[in-house]
Amino acid sequence: MAVLKPLTPMNARFRRRTPGAGRLLRLAAACAVPVALATCSEPSEQTIAYSRLKERIAAGQVREVRLSDYQVQATSTTAARKAGAPERWVATRVPGDDQLVSLLEAKHVQYDGFGGGAPRPNPVAVLVLLIVGAGILVAAWRMRRNSVRGVSPVGRMRVKDSHGASETSFDDVAGVDEAKEELEEIVHFLRTPEKFARLGARVPRGVLLVGPPGTGKTLLAKAVAGEAGVPFFSISGAEFVEVYVGVGASRVRKLFQQARAKGRAIIFIDELDAIGKTRSNSLTGANDEREQTLNQLLVEMDGFDPRSGIIVMAATNRPEILDPALLRPGRFDRQVLVDRPDPIGREAILRVHARNVRLDDDVDLAHIAQRTPGFVGADLANVLNEAALLAARADKPAVGMEELDAAIDRVVAGLEKKNRLVNEKERRIVAWHEAGHALVAESVPTAEPVKKVSIIPRGAAALGYTQQLAEDRLLMQEDELLDRLAVLLGGRAAEHIAFGKLSTGASNDLERATSLARRMVCEFGMSARVGPISIATPAAGRARGESEPWSDETAARVEREVQQILAAAFDRAVAILETQRASLDAVAERLLEFGSLHREELLRAMNAATPA
Ligand code: ADP
Ligand code: MG
Ligand code: ZN
């Protein structure tokens, strides 16, 4: 159950209760609670929500569990009881949740089934239930009568077949025409996989949608499924972050199983970066779960026949942090950029969403598109929605320019906090910064070649990025590490050269460079002055409850050495960039113009600037 995110939640039909019935229920509950409390014979048993019970289990507060189809009874540990927990927690099981057992096993909690199901009913409780039930029936009957007479219409939700095809189409997505064009091919393939197979055409297995949040990546994936008329299975990488070892991997396995059973399908993995982060730099075992999930995903992707009619799509706004294994041929080897829309695109998106809103005749969507630079599809949908709310509050017959203006101001205010729009000056700084990384990477002997440089903001943190063709490395030599340090500091060096001052944008680089330099000194014994010695970092020592494992003198020496390594790397980066000042400026200017450069474009910009 948890594996799938059906297009319409299965329980949608339960969600919308009529207001009258809701009030009645609350009333009934208010009467029932005192009765139930009065008859509760066992003071040390507590009924809690299923989710809370799972948290208790995860927190290790549960010693033993008894399960029926309907109920979970959990005996608390002595430690938990000392801390004030009751002897027993009871929760109603959520139908279809099959993770409980894996959780129990992961936590080594003893568990057993118990017969029959619902526990022996308490007569008073039964009476209360009967009264409540009768009340609801009467209420429902009266409301039905009313609705027949047209007084109070009872809303009924249409429940879509969750396994059916997606109903989203390309018409619902606007302003991202290039992405749509690239995805056309996938649609063709999904419609007639036989044709592609017959011709021996190589079809992509995995398509990665890359772009800032809210640009319509999820929407596009659904639209591909809708256009092709195939089922859409989706999970979000973020769901895996907090789960227990083994659960993520088994969810991935099930997801692929279900899709395979359908023959043709789209499997969509949202927020791929949450599971697909680079594996190499984890020193602790804390990322086991993510790694298992990622490995399972790789296994599944390698395991199916690409001509079978299953396409795996994924979305991320941080492609630069993905594990390179994910991007290899046969996996997510096709990247589709879903970028922020231009004014024409914004107008088209507004038009899509205006289909559901009644607009005044004086509304000029082109004007609104002009007024909303940097807005993504989700923001524009939000503007129309806010405007409709304002119009409704003012009792207007239609949404006018006044409401739209106010709505834009509101959304901008929200965005300024959340999604800082990069102004021109900042863009220039970022352009030189990234150009610096890229040029140093191309100049030092051992760095991996640059695949792409970009100043298109990705999410809140990264203002730009330089992506290198990384390989899986087990061993690195000193000169390689020094080269890497120079590349990391290349951004800062470029800012220093071009603007004569530094910005706050390089703090992450500095953090990574510092940690690398520190490891060179403390773990790899690469500093002559400190010598071939392994020194535990203070943090690791403290975690084990030890006091500082080294003397103040050693600490000071390490600090000095780290500083020197970093200063030397920075000077080196500055020297490299100074000799290539023309290239640096040329690459930065191109970045300002195009937003991002692929390897060939980067090399062309560099070469054009160097006199032959
Ligand atoms: P992402 O997955 O890129 O973060 P979503 O697809 O979740 O973005 O977009 C959220 C909502 O914003 C969509 O459901 C849709 O209403 C609106 N939206 C975003 N992009 C577009 C677009 N290009 N065209 C139309 N609507 C869009
Ligand atoms: Mg999304
Ligand atoms: Zn940087």
Side-chain angles (χ1 to χ4, degrees):
M1 216 58 260
V3 178
L4 294 181
K5 209 195 272 161
L7 289 178
T8 305
M10 299 287 259
N11 59 354
R13 78 184 105 164
F14 302 121
R15 222 186 257 164
R16 203 194 270 184
R17 258 189 234 122
T18 54
R23 205 181 326 126
L24 213 106
L25 261 181
R26 246 172 289 139
L27 202 82
C31 303
V33 167
V35 181
L37 281 181
T39 58
C40 185
S41 57
E42 220 176 307
S44 62
E45 178 172 306
Q46 193 189 356
T47 305
I48 57 174
Y50 183 59
S51 57
R52 300 278 305 281
L53 180 61
K54 283 191 8 185
E55 286 165 20
R56 301 265 142 89
I57 296 171
Q61 297 173 3
V62 170
R63 180 163 56 87
E64 193 183 325
V65 162
R66 282 165 29 103
L67 297 163
S68 80
D69 280 344
Y70 307 98
Q71 218 186 44
V72 195
Q73 303 178 348
T75 312
S76 53
T77 58
T78 332
R81 234 170 290 151
K82 271 192 201 127
E87 244 158 74
R88 211 152 64 139
W89 286 296
V90 178
T92 309
R93 268 190 102 169
V94 172
D97 179 280
D98 51 9
Q99 304 159 33
L100 184 61
V101 169
S102 354
L103 170 59
L104 291 169
E105 288 187 338
K107 288 274 150 191
H108 303 291
V109 176
Q110 189 181 335
Y111 63 93
D112 194 6
F114 70 95
R120 202 158 48 81
N122 175 329
V124 181
V126 168
L127 198 68
V128 171
L129 273 179
L130 277 177
I131 297 170
V132 172
I136 292 173
L137 276 180
V138 170
W141 173 72
R142 284 177 49 174
M143 246 168 297
R144 239 195 113 79
R145 256 188 10 176
N146 286 349
S147 83
V148 170
R149 284 194 252 122
V151 179
S152 144
V154 177
R156 277 199 70 191
M157 271 243 170
R158 200 166 45 95
V159 178
K160 274 186 251 167
D161 176 10
S162 62
H163 297 282
S166 150
E167 283 178 18
T168 311
S169 80
F170 276 158
D171 288 342
D172 299 317
V173 198
V176 285
D177 295 339
E178 283 122 57
K180 271 205 260 185
E181 248 165 57
E182 286 188 56
L183 293 171
E184 279 296 345
E185 190 193 332
I186 309 285
V187 173
H188 281 311
F189 163 70
L190 284 168
R191 282 201 192 127
T192 53
E194 324 77 54
K195 196 170 84 189
F196 281 70
R198 208 166 49 230
L199 296 172
R202 207 184 76 87
V203 279
R205 225 182 273 230
V207 180
L208 186 61
L209 302 175
V210 177
T215 44
K217 298 181 293 298
T218 310
L219 194 64
L220 266 172
K222 278 186 195 160
V224 169
E227 291 284 331
V230 302
F232 180 75
F233 295 89
S234 94
I235 51 174
S236 170
E239 287 167 27
F240 293 123
V241 178
E242 292 293 320
V243 295
Y244 309 96
V245 177
V247 176
S250 91
R251 275 196 210 169
V252 168
R253 202 176 314 123
K254 271 197 214 134
L255 182 72
F256 276 79
Q257 241 169 34
Q258 274 159 326
R260 265 196 298 263
K262 291 282 170 190
R264 289 182 288 158
I266 294 262
I267 296 176
F268 179 61
I269 302 166
D270 212 343
E271 302 180 63
L272 180 65
D273 40 283
I275 41 172
K277 265 183 253 174
T278 311
R279 287 170 290 186
S280 53
N281 46 13
S282 113
L283 292 173
T284 62
N287 291 324
D288 271 1
E289 170 56 22
R290 214 191 52 222
E291 277 192 22
Q292 278 193 22
T293 310
L294 175 57
N295 287 337
Q296 187 63 35
L297 178 63
L298 296 175
V299 166
E300 296 289 349
M301 286 192 77
D302 292 345
F304 70 79
D305 181 350
R307 285 160 305 182
S308 64
I310 289 179
I311 298 271
V312 186
M313 294 180 80
T316 183
N317 49 7
R318 313 185 56 193
E320 71 282 4
I321 65 166
L322 289 181
D323 194 302
L326 275 168
L327 305 176
R328 276 203 206 115
R331 292 172 181 167
F332 292 104
D333 48 6
R334 181 86 54 104
Q335 291 201 14
V336 174
L337 183 66
V338 188
D339 219 339
R340 288 175 196 274
D342 58 12
I344 295 169
R346 292 199 294 274
E347 189 183 339
I349 294 172
L350 285 166
R351 243 171 249 301
V352 167
H353 289 276
R355 291 189 302 212
N356 312 316
V357 179
R358 188 181 303 153
L359 294 179
D360 238 8
D361 291 339
D362 73 332
V363 168
D364 179 2
L365 291 181
H367 173 73
I368 300 190
Q370 292 295 343
R371 275 205 50 198
T372 46
F375 276 40
V376 293
D379 303 330
L380 294 166
N382 203 354
V383 165
L384 281 172
N385 190 41
E386 286 278 339
L389 288 176
L390 288 172
R393 211 169 298 152
D395 262 339
K396 295 220 176 157
V399 175
M401 271 320 236
E402 194 188 325
E403 285 82 34
L404 283 164
D405 279 336
I408 292 174
D409 291 344
R410 251 193 222 195
V411 174
V412 168
L415 283 178
E416 271 170 1
K417 259 186 259 150
K418 217 173 53 193
N419 218 359
R420 303 186 326 116
L421 298 179
V422 181
N423 67 32
E424 205 39 46
K425 184 176 155 208
E426 284 176 329
R427 276 190 85 221
R428 288 185 76 79
I429 297 176
V430 177
W432 262 267
H433 179 102
E434 295 305 330
H437 281 307
L439 277 190
V440 176
E442 286 298 322
S443 310
V444 295
T446 72
E448 287 104 359
V450 176
K451 190 175 163 201
K452 191 178 171 189
V453 202
S454 168
I455 59 164
I456 299 168
R458 308 268 182 226
L463 297 172
Y465 63 87
T466 298
Q467 189 181 12
Q468 286 168 270
L469 286 168
E471 11 172 348
D472 279 338
R473 297 293 301 272
L474 294 174
L475 270 180
M476 288 189 83
Q477 285 178 318
E478 195 174 350
D479 55 336
E480 294 175 295
L481 294 176
L482 289 173
D483 283 355
R484 184 169 280 197
L485 279 181
V487 174
L488 278 172
L489 295 175
R492 208 179 155 78
E495 287 183 43
H496 171 74
I497 292 174
F499 306 105
K501 54 190 167 192
L502 298 171
S503 74
T504 53
S507 69
N508 177 257
D509 296 336
L510 205 53
E511 199 179 301
R512 287 167 59 195
T514 308
S515 122
L516 179 55
R518 195 180 294 281
R519 291 184 65 191
M520 289 174 71
V521 175
C522 299
E523 287 178 39
F524 311 142
M526 284 175 181
S527 146
R529 253 156 300 181
V530 174
I533 177 174
S534 169
I535 305 169
T537 59
R542 236 175 281 136
R544 272 183 265 113
E546 294 164 12
S547 56
E548 297 277 293
W550 51 21
S551 65
D552 285 351
E553 190 210 334
T554 315
R557 201 139 32 104
V558 166
E559 219 49 54
R560 235 184 349 260
E561 193 59 11
V562 170
Q563 268 167 17
Q564 257 163 30
I565 292 179
L566 289 173
F570 181 74
D571 289 346
R572 184 168 167 224
V574 170
I576 289 172
L577 293 176
E578 262 167 356
T579 59
Q580 300 188 46
R581 182 62 202 266
S583 290
L584 176 67
D585 293 349
V587 171
E589 295 286 358
R590 294 231 103 183
L591 275 174
L592 280 177
E593 193 175 344
F594 296 107
S596 70
L597 301 176
H598 285 285
R599 174 163 191 80
E600 301 75 46
E601 298 160 322
L602 170 71
L603 295 181
R604 221 175 300 138
M606 285 169 63
N607 289 337
T610 349

